[in-house]
PDB file of all heavy atoms in Angstrom:
ATOM      1  N   LEU X   7     -17.673  25.738 -22.249  1.00 78.00           N
ATOM      2  CA  LEU X   7     -17.309  26.504 -21.055  1.00 78.00           C
ATOM      3  C   LEU X   7     -16.014  27.273 -21.291  1.00 78.00           C
ATOM      4  O   LEU X   7     -15.638  28.010 -20.379  1.00 78.00           O
ATOM      5  CB  LEU X   7     -17.135  25.547 -19.826  1.00 78.00           C
ATOM      6  CG  LEU X   7     -18.379  24.779 -19.380  1.00 78.00           C
ATOM      7  CD1 LEU X   7     -17.981  23.826 -18.254  1.00 78.00           C
ATOM      8  CD2 LEU X   7     -19.506  25.657 -19.081  1.00 78.00           C
ATOM      9  N   GLY X   8     -15.470  27.210 -22.426  1.00 79.00           N
ATOM     10  CA  GLY X   8     -14.179  27.847 -22.755  1.00 79.00           C
ATOM     11  C   GLY X   8     -14.264  29.357 -22.612  1.00 79.00           C
ATOM     12  O   GLY X   8     -13.240  30.056 -22.389  1.00 79.00           O
ATOM     13  N   HIS X   9     -15.400  29.939 -22.796  1.00 84.00           N
ATOM     14  CA  HIS X   9     -15.571  31.387 -22.794  1.00 84.00           C
ATOM     15  C   HIS X   9     -15.837  32.005 -21.424  1.00 84.00           C
ATOM     16  O   HIS X   9     -15.805  33.177 -21.265  1.00 84.00           O
ATOM     17  CB  HIS X   9     -16.609  31.798 -23.758  1.00 84.00           C
ATOM     18  CG  HIS X   9     -17.962  31.418 -23.245  1.00 84.00           C
ATOM     19  ND1 HIS X   9     -18.443  30.133 -23.335  1.00 84.00           N
ATOM     20  CD2 HIS X   9     -18.974  32.162 -22.648  1.00 84.00           C
ATOM     21  CE1 HIS X   9     -19.710  30.114 -22.822  1.00 84.00           C
ATOM     22  NE2 HIS X   9     -20.029  31.302 -22.415  1.00 84.00           N
ATOM     23  N   ILE X  10     -16.150  31.140 -20.463  1.00 88.00           N
ATOM     24  CA  ILE X  10     -16.586  31.747 -19.182  1.00 88.00           C
ATOM     25  C   ILE X  10     -15.399  31.826 -18.235  1.00 88.00           C
ATOM     26  O   ILE X  10     -14.449  31.019 -18.321  1.00 88.00           O
ATOM     27  CB  ILE X  10     -17.765  31.001 -18.493  1.00 88.00           C
ATOM     28  CG1 ILE X  10     -17.324  29.583 -18.025  1.00 88.00           C
ATOM     29  CG2 ILE X  10     -18.932  30.886 -19.453  1.00 88.00           C
ATOM     30  CD1 ILE X  10     -18.419  28.959 -17.138  1.00 88.00           C
ATOM     31  N   SER X  11     -15.439  32.767 -17.295  1.00 89.00           N
ATOM     32  CA  SER X  11     -14.335  32.930 -16.362  1.00 89.00           C
ATOM     33  C   SER X  11     -14.601  31.890 -15.154  1.00 89.00           C
ATOM     34  O   SER X  11     -15.653  31.354 -15.031  1.00 89.00           O
ATOM     35  CB  SER X  11     -14.411  34.348 -15.734  1.00 89.00           C
ATOM     36  OG  SER X  11     -15.593  34.578 -14.915  1.00 89.00           O
ATOM     37  N   ILE X  12     -13.551  31.720 -14.376  1.00 88.00           N
ATOM     38  CA  ILE X  12     -13.646  30.813 -13.301  1.00 88.00           C
ATOM     39  C   ILE X  12     -14.727  31.403 -12.254  1.00 88.00           C
ATOM     40  O   ILE X  12     -15.404  30.591 -11.594  1.00 88.00           O
ATOM     41  CB  ILE X  12     -12.313  30.567 -12.570  1.00 88.00           C
ATOM     42  CG1 ILE X  12     -12.349  29.486 -11.539  1.00 88.00           C
ATOM     43  CG2 ILE X  12     -11.741  31.820 -11.931  1.00 88.00           C
ATOM     44  CD1 ILE X  12     -12.405  28.105 -12.161  1.00 88.00           C
ATOM     45  N   GLU X  13     -14.805  32.698 -12.195  1.00 91.00           N
ATOM     46  CA  GLU X  13     -15.790  33.316 -11.336  1.00 91.00           C
ATOM     47  C   GLU X  13     -17.194  33.014 -11.830  1.00 91.00           C
ATOM     48  O   GLU X  13     -18.043  32.617 -10.939  1.00 91.00           O
ATOM     49  CB  GLU X  13     -15.657  34.845 -11.247  1.00 91.00           C
ATOM     50  CG  GLU X  13     -16.611  35.465 -10.286  1.00 91.00           C
ATOM     51  CD  GLU X  13     -16.427  37.019 -10.173  1.00 91.00           C
ATOM     52  OE1 GLU X  13     -15.343  37.478 -10.390  1.00 91.00           O
ATOM     53  OE2 GLU X  13     -17.467  37.621  -9.863  1.00 91.00           O
ATOM     54  N   MET X  14     -17.423  33.089 -13.107  1.00 92.00           N
ATOM     55  CA  MET X  14     -18.733  32.709 -13.658  1.00 92.00           C
ATOM     56  C   MET X  14     -19.020  31.223 -13.404  1.00 92.00           C
ATOM     57  O   MET X  14     -20.129  30.885 -13.007  1.00 92.00           O
ATOM     58  CB  MET X  14     -18.752  33.054 -15.133  1.00 92.00           C
ATOM     59  CG  MET X  14     -18.806  34.521 -15.505  1.00 92.00           C
ATOM     60  SD  MET X  14     -18.621  34.832 -17.273  1.00 92.00           S
ATOM     61  CE  MET X  14     -20.044  33.964 -17.962  1.00 92.00           C
ATOM     62  N   TRP X  15     -18.012  30.372 -13.579  1.00 87.00           N
ATOM     63  CA  TRP X  15     -18.206  28.977 -13.382  1.00 87.00           C
ATOM     64  C   TRP X  15     -18.502  28.708 -11.885  1.00 87.00           C
ATOM     65  O   TRP X  15     -19.342  27.853 -11.619  1.00 87.00           O
ATOM     66  CB  TRP X  15     -16.958  28.223 -13.786  1.00 87.00           C
ATOM     67  CG  TRP X  15     -17.108  26.745 -13.604  1.00 87.00           C
ATOM     68  CD1 TRP X  15     -17.872  25.846 -14.458  1.00 87.00           C
ATOM     69  CD2 TRP X  15     -16.606  25.926 -12.544  1.00 87.00           C
ATOM     70  NE1 TRP X  15     -17.735  24.567 -13.914  1.00 87.00           N
ATOM     71  CE2 TRP X  15     -16.978  24.629 -12.770  1.00 87.00           C
ATOM     72  CE3 TRP X  15     -15.729  26.229 -11.505  1.00 87.00           C
ATOM     73  CZ2 TRP X  15     -16.567  23.588 -11.899  1.00 87.00           C
ATOM     74  CZ3 TRP X  15     -15.396  25.265 -10.618  1.00 87.00           C
ATOM     75  CH2 TRP X  15     -15.771  23.906 -10.809  1.00 87.00           C
ATOM     76  N   SER X  16     -17.769  29.392 -10.958  1.00 92.00           N
ATOM     77  CA  SER X  16     -17.979  29.166  -9.584  1.00 92.00           C
ATOM     78  C   SER X  16     -19.354  29.549  -9.088  1.00 92.00           C
ATOM     79  O   SER X  16     -19.841  29.147  -8.023  1.00 92.00           O
ATOM     80  CB  SER X  16     -16.886  29.848  -8.769  1.00 92.00           C
ATOM     81  OG  SER X  16     -16.958  31.197  -8.885  1.00 92.00           O
ATOM     82  N   ARG X  17     -20.073  30.438  -9.863  1.00 92.00           N
ATOM     83  CA  ARG X  17     -21.431  30.779  -9.586  1.00 92.00           C
ATOM     84  C   ARG X  17     -22.439  29.871 -10.270  1.00 92.00           C
ATOM     85  O   ARG X  17     -23.662  29.999  -9.998  1.00 92.00           O
ATOM     86  CB  ARG X  17     -21.701  32.221 -10.070  1.00 92.00           C
ATOM     87  CG  ARG X  17     -20.897  33.222  -9.319  1.00 92.00           C
ATOM     88  CD  ARG X  17     -21.250  34.710  -9.877  1.00 92.00           C
ATOM     89  NE  ARG X  17     -20.345  35.669  -9.381  1.00 92.00           N
ATOM     90  CZ  ARG X  17     -20.475  36.339  -8.280  1.00 92.00           C
ATOM     91  NH1 ARG X  17     -21.581  36.137  -7.530  1.00 92.00           N
ATOM     92  NH2 ARG X  17     -19.615  37.293  -7.872  1.00 92.00           N
ATOM     93  N   SER X  18     -22.005  29.009 -11.097  1.00 90.00           N
ATOM     94  CA  SER X  18     -22.927  28.200 -11.829  1.00 90.00           C
ATOM     95  C   SER X  18     -23.312  26.911 -11.104  1.00 90.00           C
ATOM     96  O   SER X  18     -22.809  26.659 -10.003  1.00 90.00           O
ATOM     97  CB  SER X  18     -22.273  27.712 -13.248  1.00 90.00           C
ATOM     98  OG  SER X  18     -21.331  26.651 -12.936  1.00 90.00           O
ATOM     99  N   LYS X  19     -24.292  26.236 -11.667  1.00 89.00           N
ATOM    100  CA  LYS X  19     -24.731  24.967 -10.993  1.00 89.00           C
ATOM    101  C   LYS X  19     -23.823  23.797 -11.256  1.00 89.00           C
ATOM    102  O   LYS X  19     -23.967  22.739 -10.675  1.00 89.00           O
ATOM    103  CB  LYS X  19     -26.153  24.587 -11.551  1.00 89.00           C
ATOM    104  CG  LYS X  19     -27.202  25.591 -11.031  1.00 89.00           C
ATOM    105  CD  LYS X  19     -28.584  25.171 -11.598  1.00 89.00           C
ATOM    106  CE  LYS X  19     -29.592  26.256 -11.069  1.00 89.00           C
ATOM    107  NZ  LYS X  19     -30.943  26.001 -11.514  1.00 89.00           N
ATOM    108  N   ARG X  20     -22.821  24.004 -12.104  1.00 86.00           N
ATOM    109  CA  ARG X  20     -21.865  22.986 -12.450  1.00 86.00           C
ATOM    110  C   ARG X  20     -20.712  22.810 -11.402  1.00 86.00           C
ATOM    111  O   ARG X  20     -19.945  21.865 -11.502  1.00 86.00           O
ATOM    112  CB  ARG X  20     -21.360  23.233 -13.794  1.00 86.00           C
ATOM    113  CG  ARG X  20     -22.419  23.100 -14.910  1.00 86.00           C
ATOM    114  CD  ARG X  20     -21.846  23.381 -16.222  1.00 86.00           C
ATOM    115  NE  ARG X  20     -21.609  22.069 -16.842  1.00 86.00           N
ATOM    116  CZ  ARG X  20     -21.380  21.860 -18.146  1.00 86.00           C
ATOM    117  NH1 ARG X  20     -21.323  22.931 -18.905  1.00 86.00           N
ATOM    118  NH2 ARG X  20     -21.087  20.700 -18.615  1.00 86.00           N
ATOM    119  N   VAL X  21     -20.574  23.797 -10.590  1.00 89.00           N
ATOM    120  CA  VAL X  21     -19.419  23.833  -9.628  1.00 89.00           C
ATOM    121  C   VAL X  21     -19.647  22.622  -8.695  1.00 89.00           C
ATOM    122  O   VAL X  21     -20.689  22.347  -8.262  1.00 89.00           O
ATOM    123  CB  VAL X  21     -19.344  25.148  -8.922  1.00 89.00           C
ATOM    124  CG1 VAL X  21     -20.504  25.359  -7.960  1.00 89.00           C
ATOM    125  CG2 VAL X  21     -17.972  25.341  -8.206  1.00 89.00           C
ATOM    126  N   GLU X  22     -18.455  22.067  -8.290  1.00 91.00           N
ATOM    127  CA  GLU X  22     -18.501  20.949  -7.296  1.00 91.00           C
ATOM    128  C   GLU X  22     -18.712  21.570  -5.950  1.00 91.00           C
ATOM    129  O   GLU X  22     -18.255  22.670  -5.619  1.00 91.00           O
ATOM    130  CB  GLU X  22     -17.133  20.254  -7.336  1.00 91.00           C
ATOM    131  CG  GLU X  22     -16.915  19.555  -8.615  1.00 91.00           C
ATOM    132  CD  GLU X  22     -17.754  18.309  -8.900  1.00 91.00           C
ATOM    133  OE1 GLU X  22     -18.377  17.835  -7.899  1.00 91.00           O
ATOM    134  OE2 GLU X  22     -17.844  17.825 -10.028  1.00 91.00           O
ATOM    135  N   HIS X  23     -19.299  20.755  -5.061  1.00 95.00           N
ATOM    136  CA  HIS X  23     -19.534  21.083  -3.660  1.00 95.00           C
ATOM    137  C   HIS X  23     -18.985  19.975  -2.796  1.00 95.00           C
ATOM    138  O   HIS X  23     -19.606  19.008  -2.529  1.00 95.00           O
ATOM    139  CB  HIS X  23     -21.046  21.257  -3.374  1.00 95.00           C
ATOM    140  CG  HIS X  23     -21.646  22.328  -4.143  1.00 95.00           C
ATOM    141  ND1 HIS X  23     -21.724  23.621  -3.634  1.00 95.00           N
ATOM    142  CD2 HIS X  23     -22.226  22.406  -5.367  1.00 95.00           C
ATOM    143  CE1 HIS X  23     -22.418  24.394  -4.497  1.00 95.00           C
ATOM    144  NE2 HIS X  23     -22.647  23.610  -5.595  1.00 95.00           N
ATOM    145  N   ASN X  24     -17.689  20.077  -2.406  1.00 97.00           N
ATOM    146  CA  ASN X  24     -17.051  19.176  -1.498  1.00 97.00           C
ATOM    147  C   ASN X  24     -17.116  17.744  -2.087  1.00 97.00           C
ATOM    148  O   ASN X  24     -17.517  16.831  -1.378  1.00 97.00           O
ATOM    149  CB  ASN X  24     -17.609  19.219  -0.084  1.00 97.00           C
ATOM    150  CG  ASN X  24     -17.334  20.566   0.547  1.00 97.00           C
ATOM    151  OD1 ASN X  24     -16.187  20.961   0.734  1.00 97.00           O
ATOM    152  ND2 ASN X  24     -18.452  21.283   0.905  1.00 97.00           N
ATOM    153  N   TRP X  25     -16.756  17.510  -3.287  1.00 97.00           N
ATOM    154  CA  TRP X  25     -16.869  16.235  -4.041  1.00 97.00           C
ATOM    155  C   TRP X  25     -16.153  15.111  -3.208  1.00 97.00           C
ATOM    156  O   TRP X  25     -16.664  14.041  -3.030  1.00 97.00           O
ATOM    157  CB  TRP X  25     -16.329  16.294  -5.368  1.00 97.00           C
ATOM    158  CG  TRP X  25     -16.469  15.012  -6.100  1.00 97.00           C
ATOM    159  CD1 TRP X  25     -17.528  14.623  -6.832  1.00 97.00           C
ATOM    160  CD2 TRP X  25     -15.455  13.976  -6.199  1.00 97.00           C
ATOM    161  NE1 TRP X  25     -17.265  13.311  -7.318  1.00 97.00           N
ATOM    162  CE2 TRP X  25     -16.051  12.923  -6.891  1.00 97.00           C
ATOM    163  CE3 TRP X  25     -14.213  13.788  -5.530  1.00 97.00           C
ATOM    164  CZ2 TRP X  25     -15.351  11.714  -7.170  1.00 97.00           C
ATOM    165  CZ3 TRP X  25     -13.502  12.620  -5.798  1.00 97.00           C
ATOM    166  CH2 TRP X  25     -14.075  11.598  -6.607  1.00 97.00           C
ATOM    167  N   LEU X  26     -14.907  15.362  -2.740  1.00 97.00           N
ATOM    168  CA  LEU X  26     -14.226  14.244  -2.082  1.00 97.00           C
ATOM    169  C   LEU X  26     -14.837  13.899  -0.709  1.00 97.00           C
ATOM    170  O   LEU X  26     -14.998  12.742  -0.387  1.00 97.00           O
ATOM    171  CB  LEU X  26     -12.674  14.585  -1.901  1.00 97.00           C
ATOM    172  CG  LEU X  26     -11.838  13.435  -1.507  1.00 97.00           C
ATOM    173  CD1 LEU X  26     -11.934  12.261  -2.401  1.00 97.00           C
ATOM    174  CD2 LEU X  26     -10.362  13.882  -1.373  1.00 97.00           C
ATOM    175  N   THR X  27     -15.170  14.898   0.019  1.00 98.00           N
ATOM    176  CA  THR X  27     -15.816  14.577   1.333  1.00 98.00           C
ATOM    177  C   THR X  27     -17.169  13.883   1.063  1.00 98.00           C
ATOM    178  O   THR X  27     -17.451  12.897   1.790  1.00 98.00           O
ATOM    179  CB  THR X  27     -16.137  15.941   2.065  1.00 98.00           C
ATOM    180  OG1 THR X  27     -14.948  16.650   2.230  1.00 98.00           O
ATOM    181  CG2 THR X  27     -16.781  15.694   3.415  1.00 98.00           C
ATOM    182  N   ARG X  28     -17.934  14.256   0.068  1.00 97.00           N
ATOM    183  CA  ARG X  28     -19.123  13.537  -0.299  1.00 97.00           C
ATOM    184  C   ARG X  28     -18.856  12.069  -0.639  1.00 97.00           C
ATOM    185  O   ARG X  28     -19.524  11.168  -0.147  1.00 97.00           O
ATOM    186  CB  ARG X  28     -19.855  14.234  -1.365  1.00 97.00           C
ATOM    187  CG  ARG X  28     -20.498  15.496  -1.073  1.00 97.00           C
ATOM    188  CD  ARG X  28     -21.268  16.068  -2.220  1.00 97.00           C
ATOM    189  NE  ARG X  28     -21.862  17.385  -1.737  1.00 97.00           N
ATOM    190  CZ  ARG X  28     -22.879  17.467  -0.952  1.00 97.00           C
ATOM    191  NH1 ARG X  28     -23.471  16.406  -0.464  1.00 97.00           N
ATOM    192  NH2 ARG X  28     -23.341  18.680  -0.600  1.00 97.00           N
ATOM    193  N   PHE X  29     -17.888  11.867  -1.468  1.00 97.00           N
ATOM    194  CA  PHE X  29     -17.511  10.542  -1.944  1.00 97.00           C
ATOM    195  C   PHE X  29     -17.067   9.672  -0.738  1.00 97.00           C
ATOM    196  O   PHE X  29     -17.579   8.547  -0.604  1.00 97.00           O
ATOM    197  CB  PHE X  29     -16.394  10.659  -2.973  1.00 97.00           C
ATOM    198  CG  PHE X  29     -16.013   9.315  -3.603  1.00 97.00           C
ATOM    199  CD1 PHE X  29     -16.774   8.701  -4.528  1.00 97.00           C
ATOM    200  CD2 PHE X  29     -14.821   8.710  -3.189  1.00 97.00           C
ATOM    201  CE1 PHE X  29     -16.389   7.463  -5.107  1.00 97.00           C
ATOM    202  CE2 PHE X  29     -14.412   7.488  -3.655  1.00 97.00           C
ATOM    203  CZ  PHE X  29     -15.181   6.829  -4.729  1.00 97.00           C
ATOM    204  N   LEU X  30     -16.148  10.117   0.089  1.00 98.00           N
ATOM    205  CA  LEU X  30     -15.568   9.272   1.105  1.00 98.00           C
ATOM    206  C   LEU X  30     -16.621   9.068   2.248  1.00 98.00           C
ATOM    207  O   LEU X  30     -16.509   8.074   3.006  1.00 98.00           O
ATOM    208  CB  LEU X  30     -14.319   9.851   1.660  1.00 98.00           C
ATOM    209  CG  LEU X  30     -13.151  10.015   0.697  1.00 98.00           C
ATOM    210  CD1 LEU X  30     -11.949  10.750   1.325  1.00 98.00           C
ATOM    211  CD2 LEU X  30     -12.719   8.567   0.315  1.00 98.00           C
ATOM    212  N   SER X  31     -17.526   9.977   2.441  1.00 98.00           N
ATOM    213  CA  SER X  31     -18.550   9.806   3.486  1.00 98.00           C
ATOM    214  C   SER X  31     -19.774   9.202   2.927  1.00 98.00           C
ATOM    215  O   SER X  31     -20.748   9.019   3.772  1.00 98.00           O
ATOM    216  CB  SER X  31     -18.854  11.100   4.238  1.00 98.00           C
ATOM    217  OG  SER X  31     -19.488  12.056   3.355  1.00 98.00           O
ATOM    218  N   ASN X  32     -19.850   8.954   1.660  1.00 97.00           N
ATOM    219  CA  ASN X  32     -21.073   8.367   1.070  1.00 97.00           C
ATOM    220  C   ASN X  32     -22.254   9.173   1.175  1.00 97.00           C
ATOM    221  O   ASN X  32     -23.393   8.719   1.411  1.00 97.00           O
ATOM    222  CB  ASN X  32     -21.311   6.951   1.539  1.00 97.00           C
ATOM    223  CG  ASN X  32     -22.153   6.127   0.577  1.00 97.00           C
ATOM    224  OD1 ASN X  32     -22.156   6.417  -0.606  1.00 97.00           O
ATOM    225  ND2 ASN X  32     -22.887   5.145   1.058  1.00 97.00           N
ATOM    226  N   GLU X  33     -22.163  10.527   1.094  1.00 96.00           N
ATOM    227  CA  GLU X  33     -23.225  11.451   1.232  1.00 96.00           C
ATOM    228  C   GLU X  33     -23.250  12.254   0.004  1.00 96.00           C
ATOM    229  O   GLU X  33     -22.795  13.482  -0.104  1.00 96.00           O
ATOM    230  CB  GLU X  33     -23.037  12.317   2.462  1.00 96.00           C
ATOM    231  CG  GLU X  33     -24.166  13.263   2.733  1.00 96.00           C
ATOM    232  CD  GLU X  33     -25.435  12.526   3.258  1.00 96.00           C
ATOM    233  OE1 GLU X  33     -25.375  11.576   3.883  1.00 96.00           O
ATOM    234  OE2 GLU X  33     -26.569  12.985   2.856  1.00 96.00           O
ATOM    235  N   ILE X  34     -23.690  11.728  -1.102  1.00 95.00           N
ATOM    236  CA  ILE X  34     -23.545  12.359  -2.433  1.00 95.00           C
ATOM    237  C   ILE X  34     -24.415  13.570  -2.562  1.00 95.00           C
ATOM    238  O   ILE X  34     -24.099  14.524  -3.229  1.00 95.00           O
ATOM    239  CB  ILE X  34     -23.853  11.280  -3.578  1.00 95.00           C
ATOM    240  CG1 ILE X  34     -22.970  10.070  -3.354  1.00 95.00           C
ATOM    241  CG2 ILE X  34     -23.783  11.919  -4.904  1.00 95.00           C
ATOM    242  CD1 ILE X  34     -21.462  10.416  -3.393  1.00 95.00           C
ATOM    243  N   GLU X  35     -25.603  13.573  -1.938  1.00 93.00           N
ATOM    244  CA  GLU X  35     -26.534  14.692  -1.996  1.00 93.00           C
ATOM    245  C   GLU X  35     -26.775  15.137  -0.594  1.00 93.00           C
ATOM    246  O   GLU X  35     -26.576  14.413   0.376  1.00 93.00           O
ATOM    247  CB  GLU X  35     -27.801  14.336  -2.696  1.00 93.00           C
ATOM    248  CG  GLU X  35     -27.495  14.006  -4.261  1.00 93.00           C
ATOM    249  CD  GLU X  35     -28.775  13.675  -4.981  1.00 93.00           C
ATOM    250  OE1 GLU X  35     -29.867  13.773  -4.429  1.00 93.00           O
ATOM    251  OE2 GLU X  35     -28.661  13.231  -6.168  1.00 93.00           O
ATOM    252  N   GLY X  36     -27.420  16.329  -0.491  1.00 94.00           N
ATOM    253  CA  GLY X  36     -27.812  16.877   0.856  1.00 94.00           C
ATOM    254  C   GLY X  36     -26.672  17.663   1.487  1.00 94.00           C
ATOM    255  O   GLY X  36     -25.600  17.865   0.993  1.00 94.00           O
ATOM    256  N   ASN X  37     -26.966  18.104   2.689  1.00 96.00           N
ATOM    257  CA  ASN X  37     -26.009  18.922   3.407  1.00 96.00           C
ATOM    258  C   ASN X  37     -24.975  18.080   4.045  1.00 96.00           C
ATOM    259  O   ASN X  37     -25.202  17.012   4.503  1.00 96.00           O
ATOM    260  CB  ASN X  37     -26.778  19.759   4.513  1.00 96.00           C
ATOM    261  CG  ASN X  37     -27.749  20.794   3.843  1.00 96.00           C
ATOM    262  OD1 ASN X  37     -27.458  21.323   2.801  1.00 96.00           O
ATOM    263  ND2 ASN X  37     -28.855  21.003   4.447  1.00 96.00           N
ATOM    264  N   LEU X  38     -23.764  18.658   4.151  1.00 97.00           N
ATOM    265  CA  LEU X  38     -22.685  18.057   4.867  1.00 97.00           C
ATOM    266  C   LEU X  38     -22.425  18.690   6.201  1.00 97.00           C
ATOM    267  O   LEU X  38     -22.637  19.919   6.323  1.00 97.00           O
ATOM    268  CB  LEU X  38     -21.419  18.113   4.044  1.00 97.00           C
ATOM    269  CG  LEU X  38     -21.397  17.328   2.696  1.00 97.00           C
ATOM    270  CD1 LEU X  38     -20.119  17.593   1.924  1.00 97.00           C
ATOM    271  CD2 LEU X  38     -21.612  15.829   2.934  1.00 97.00           C
ATOM    272  N   THR X  39     -21.919  17.919   7.108  1.00 97.00           N
ATOM    273  CA  THR X  39     -21.598  18.480   8.436  1.00 97.00           C
ATOM    274  C   THR X  39     -20.107  18.130   8.756  1.00 97.00           C
ATOM    275  O   THR X  39     -19.447  17.392   8.023  1.00 97.00           O
ATOM    276  CB  THR X  39     -22.447  17.860   9.542  1.00 97.00           C
ATOM    277  OG1 THR X  39     -22.114  16.440   9.636  1.00 97.00           O
ATOM    278  CG2 THR X  39     -24.010  18.069   9.217  1.00 97.00           C
TER     279      THR X  39
END
Side-chain angles (χ1 to χ4, degrees):
L7 300 177
H9 70 284
I10 71 168
S11 69
I12 191 75
E13 183 180 332
M14 289 171 60
W15 180 78
S16 64
R17 294 178 189 275
S18 77
K19 292 180 180 178
R20 297 179 95 166
V21 70
E22 295 290 346
H23 296 271
N24 295 301
W25 181 87
L26 189 56
T27 302
R28 289 184 180 285
F29 182 79
L30 293 176
S31 67
N32 200 29
E33 187 68 37
I34 304 306
E35 296 181 6
N37 294 326
L38 294 176
T39 66

